[in-house]
């Protein structure tokens, strides 16, 4: 997350972007995916735990690591997959059979050692995209003078990462469902897999080329909309493709191979670019979230399910994404401090 912004070190304090990221990360992950209703999200019993412990602190920690290491857009996405391990492995515990799976297509599908492998391959890059890359790009756009730079001291960053890891492990070990439903040996196996995944993804993110380097400024409208379309296409082919394969009941290793191949293809293609405008990456993520909202809450839950709340949620997200794209394409001064 490098930048050539000459205003680094100046401007407003970090409180506003920190709060924005802590709120936007759960909101942009949970609402457009239909995983949570807006009325539930705004409930204090959900809003504060999610914006602080479940999303806020870990996403802040990963964003700080990426900024200090100068990771590019691809490295940030891969590092964001570590958040998927934290969320789904330690808090939600959706990795483990027979615990509840958010998508019925993956429930009990491809279980190895009571780990739902296809679901893991699906949800890790999903979190990297929607829980980390998308909200970081939005906050960078809202606070351009704070984009791409550390927000905390090195000591604070270490404490933040340590507290986040301790919270997740304490939740999983002391108050988790997995430890209650599985034998000790299976639980230890699951914990070991989580640790290996977190370390492996972290190492991969750090060792990736620092490309594409994120730079300020904006591209022309045609390129921004092309990036938006590519993002929507990636969601369609990558994520919906895996869901359709699972729903078809094909051998579980096929969607696993498909998902891994899709991730590797994106990494290969993106790291070949030397640099990319932050606005262009934002347009790409907006395309992903717009199609997700159109398919799940708007169409499946709203129109097919007859539920007005997700219908409205999906329509609002799609409209907001299009509005943001129109603003991105019309801005003459991308380093200005005003919002999207």
């Amino acid at each position: 997350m490098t930048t050539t912004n000459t205003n680094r070190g100046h401007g407003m304090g970090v409180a506003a972007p920190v709060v924005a990221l802590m709120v936007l990360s759960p909101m942009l992950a949970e609402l457009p995916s239909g995983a949570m209703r807006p009325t539930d999200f705004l409930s204090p019993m959900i809003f504060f735990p999610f914006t602080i412990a479940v999303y806020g602190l870990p996403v802040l920690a990963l964003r700080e690591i990426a900024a200090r290491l100068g990771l590019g857009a691809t490295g940030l996405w891969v590092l964001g997959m570590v958040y998927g391990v934290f969320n789904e492995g330690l808090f939600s515990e959706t990795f483990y059979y027979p615990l509840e799976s958010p998508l019925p297509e993956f429930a009990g599908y491809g279980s190895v050692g009571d780990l739902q492998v296809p679901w893991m391959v699906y949800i890790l890059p999903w979190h990297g995209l929607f829980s980390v890359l998308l909200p970081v790009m939005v906050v960078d756009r809202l606070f351009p003078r704070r984009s791409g730079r550390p927000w905390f001291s090195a000591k604070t960053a270490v404490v933040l990462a340590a507290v986040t890891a301790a919270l997740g492990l304490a939740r999983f070990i002391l108050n988790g469902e997995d430890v209650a439903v599985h034998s000790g040996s299976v639980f230890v196996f699951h914990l070991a897999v989580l640790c290996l995944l977190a370390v492996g993804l972290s190492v991969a993110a750090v060792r990736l080329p620092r490309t594409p380097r994120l730079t300020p400024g904006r591209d022309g409208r045609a390129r921004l909309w092309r990036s938006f379309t590519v993002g929507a296409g990636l969601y369609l082919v990558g994520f919906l493709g895996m869901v359709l394969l699972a729903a078809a009941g094909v051998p579980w290793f096929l969607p696993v191979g498909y998902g891994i191949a899709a991730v590797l293809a994106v990494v290969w293609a993106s790291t070949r670019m030397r640099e990319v405008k932050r606005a262009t990456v934002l347009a790409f993520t907006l395309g992903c979230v717009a199609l997700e909202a159109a398919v799940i809450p708007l169409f499946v839950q709203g129109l097919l399910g007859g539920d007005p709340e997700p219908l409205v949620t999906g329509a609002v997200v799609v409209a907001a994404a299009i509005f943001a794209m129109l603003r991105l394409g019309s801005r003459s001064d991308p380093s200005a401090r005003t919002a999207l």
Side-chain angles (χ1 to χ4, degrees):
M1 289 169 58
T2 57
T3 181
T4 59
N5 195 335
T6 57
N7 291 318
R8 288 177 58 156
H10 302 281
M12 67 184 70
V14 299
V18 164
V19 172
L21 185 59
M22 294 179 73
V23 172
L24 286 173
S25 54
M27 186 173 74
L28 292 174
E30 298 289 337
L31 301 188
S33 67
M36 188 179 296
R37 294 169 175 267
T39 50
D40 293 334
F41 177 71
L42 293 175
S43 168
M45 295 298 293
I46 292 178
F47 180 81
F48 291 107
F50 269 62
T51 56
I52 297 173
V54 181
Y55 279 87
L57 292 180
V59 173
L60 275 177
L62 291 171
R63 187 253 174 226
E64 189 71 9
I65 292 169
R68 290 191 167 276
L69 296 178
L71 300 187
T74 309
L76 176 60
W77 175 50
V78 174
L79 188 65
M81 296 183 198
V82 177
Y83 173 73
V85 177
F86 178 89
N87 185 310
E88 307 294 341
L90 298 178
F91 267 88
S92 302
E93 297 186 86
T94 63
F95 286 170
Y96 319 113
Y97 182 79
L99 302 182
E100 183 179 0
S101 176
L103 294 182
E105 294 84 358
F106 292 101
Y109 179 60
S111 179
V112 178
D114 284 340
L115 289 172
Q116 300 178 118
V117 178
W119 167 246
M120 296 170 69
V121 173
Y122 173 91
I123 199 60
L124 291 180
W126 184 93
H127 270 298
L129 176 61
F130 291 103
S131 301
V132 179
L133 183 61
L134 171 61
V136 168
M137 289 298 102
V138 172
V139 171
D140 279 356
R141 191 68 182 183
L142 293 172
F143 306 95
R145 296 186 180 183
R146 289 292 174 180
S147 64
R149 58 177 295 188
W151 291 347
F152 309 107
S153 67
K155 181 178 180 180
T156 302
V158 171
V159 171
L160 179 63
V163 168
T164 298
L167 282 174
L169 288 171
R171 160 68 176 81
F172 184 59
I173 296 172
L174 301 178
N175 194 37
E177 294 180 80
D178 188 50
V179 69
V181 301
H182 289 113
S183 66
S185 59
V186 172
F187 175 77
V188 170
F189 167 68
H190 291 172
L191 182 59
V193 169
L194 295 184
C195 294
L196 289 174
L197 278 174
V199 172
L201 289 169
S202 299
V203 171
V206 171
R207 298 192 63 178
L208 280 173
R210 298 300 195 259
T211 53
R213 187 169 60 92
L214 292 166
T215 61
R218 70 179 179 92
D219 287 314
R221 291 184 180 180
R223 182 159 185 174
L224 288 171
W225 281 105
R226 185 163 60 247
S227 182
F228 180 93
T229 304
V230 170
L234 174 67
Y235 180 81
L236 176 65
V237 174
F239 295 109
L240 289 184
M242 276 198 69
V243 173
L244 292 175
L245 286 173
V250 301
W252 65 267
F253 56 83
L254 293 179
V256 168
Y258 180 87
I260 293 174
V263 169
L264 293 177
V266 171
V267 169
W268 177 82
S270 60
T271 53
R272 288 172 63 85
M273 297 185 291
R274 293 184 58 186
E275 63 181 32
V276 64
K277 299 289 193 298
R278 292 180 183 275
T280 305
V281 178
L282 177 57
F284 171 84
T285 59
L286 288 173
C288 294
V289 77
L291 185 60
E292 179 185 55
V295 170
I296 302 178
L298 196 159
F299 181 71
V300 175
Q301 297 176 343
L303 292 176
L304 294 184
D307 192 333
E309 188 171 0
L311 176 68
V312 173
T313 301
V316 168
V317 172
V318 172
I322 294 174
F323 175 75
M325 284 297 301
L326 294 175
R327 293 296 303 273
L328 279 177
S330 65
R331 289 178 66 94
S332 59
D333 181 13
S335 64
R337 295 176 59 179
T338 54
L340 286 170

